Amino acid sequence: YDDPILNFLYLNGVIDTEIADDGRYYVRFASPFVQKRLFNYFAREAFPDTGRLYRPFEDLSHIITEDSLNLPNLLRRYEQYLHENHEWLFQDVPRRSDLRPFEAVHHFGLYRYLANFLEEFGGQVVPEFPTGNGKLDLLIRYQGVVYGIEAKSYTSRPAYRRALRQAARYGRSLGLQEITLAFFVEETDDESRAQYEVAYVDEESGVTVRPVFITTG
């Protein structure tokens, strides 16, 4: 209410407020349709060309087959793609004052890669925005099966634990027994991956959460 721009948008019905799982208030567009259209627009603005997604004769059987999809392996292939194309892929993206890409840029890049990758195999990716708190949920439909990805940036161990529980609740709301949690992080090591990339089974919901780290540095 104290910010004149947000106040104007709120009073005219463009945005709304929402309380997230962490008890904090966030701003989001009142219309999910508008939010999705803007997301698609900025995703294409940031990444108008995704280039070659994988090598022409690359064996992708550990990622996708005619009737199944392995999301953790697909995210690891996306991480490899980032490292192979980082120099030109992020050349013109919006950056913060410290010259690091904005967090949303990584969400846009992941969405564009997955959408283009799965389109070749007849799959579909749909972005969802349960809150305006900087996390992105992706619904994937492939061969009659629904998969879920929750993507956010890794900040700390307590936030990591909260994210596991949040992802489990999101999976339960979709009626899924398993969901993939993608963490963007500037750097990591094999020891950290071994410690944190471990399947988590939520006691309350019974949903299995599979965390995967995507290094962006």
Side-chain angles (χ1 to χ4, degrees):
Y1 294 104
D2 297 329
D3 185 294
I5 296 178
L6 293 181
N7 184 283
F8 177 84
L9 294 174
Y10 177 74
L11 291 178
N12 286 276
V14 178
I15 61 173
D16 200 355
T17 60
E18 189 168 31
I19 303 178
D21 293 333
D22 57 9
R24 299 175 61 186
Y25 279 90
Y26 292 91
V27 171
R28 64 171 298 169
F29 287 98
S31 169
F33 175 80
V34 170
Q35 186 145 306
K36 288 183 180 180
R37 298 285 64 77
L38 287 173
F39 181 87
N40 278 301
Y41 172 81
F42 285 117
R44 292 181 180 276
E45 279 287 298
F47 299 98
D49 180 19
T50 52
R52 191 176 71 176
L53 306 181
Y54 49 85
R55 296 184 301 277
F57 297 101
E58 183 175 345
D59 181 13
L60 301 174
S61 59
H62 63 298
I63 297 175
I64 192 168
T65 66
E66 293 182 356
D67 56 8
S68 67
L69 176 66
N70 188 306
L71 279 184
N73 285 345
L74 178 53
L75 291 178
R76 294 185 183 100
R77 184 61 184 88
Y78 172 66
E79 181 184 45
Q80 180 182 340
Y81 162 83
L82 280 186
H83 296 171
E84 292 171 345
N85 301 278
H86 191 278
E87 184 174 345
W88 69 267
L89 192 62
F90 289 87
Q91 184 174 0
D92 299 319
V93 300
R95 296 179 181 273
R96 306 180 308 193
S97 58
D98 61 3
L99 299 183
R100 290 185 173 89
F102 284 102
E103 180 180 350
V105 167
H106 295 300
H107 290 172
F108 295 149
L110 175 63
Y111 167 68
R112 290 280 285 144
Y113 180 87
L114 295 180
N116 289 347
F117 182 100
L118 290 166
E119 183 180 22
E120 293 292 323
F121 296 89
Q124 181 186 27
V125 182
V126 180
E128 295 289 341
F129 310 89
T131 62
N133 64 350
K135 78 182 177 70
L136 168 68
D137 296 330
L138 296 173
L139 293 181
I140 295 175
R141 296 182 176 89
Y142 180 68
Q143 295 299 320
V145 179
V146 176
Y147 302 83
I149 295 180
E150 182 172 313
K152 60 192 313 176
S153 295
Y154 178 86
T155 56
S156 65
R157 185 177 299 179
Y160 165 83
R161 290 196 292 264
R162 288 194 298 271
L164 292 174
R165 295 190 292 269
Q166 291 170 2
R169 287 194 292 270
Y170 176 53
R172 180 176 61 180
S173 71
L174 297 174
L176 302 178
Q177 292 298 311
E178 181 174 310
I179 188 169
T180 303
L181 178 57
F183 278 111
F184 291 106
V185 63
E186 286 193 354
E187 59 181 352
T188 187
D189 51 50
D190 293 339
E191 182 178 350
S192 298
R193 286 187 185 272
Q195 181 179 357
Y196 288 98
E197 287 188 334
V198 176
Y200 162 81
V201 180
D202 186 65
E203 293 183 0
E204 180 181 348
S205 64
V207 174
T208 298
V209 181
R210 299 194 181 278
V212 178
F213 283 95
I214 301 174
T215 56
T216 61

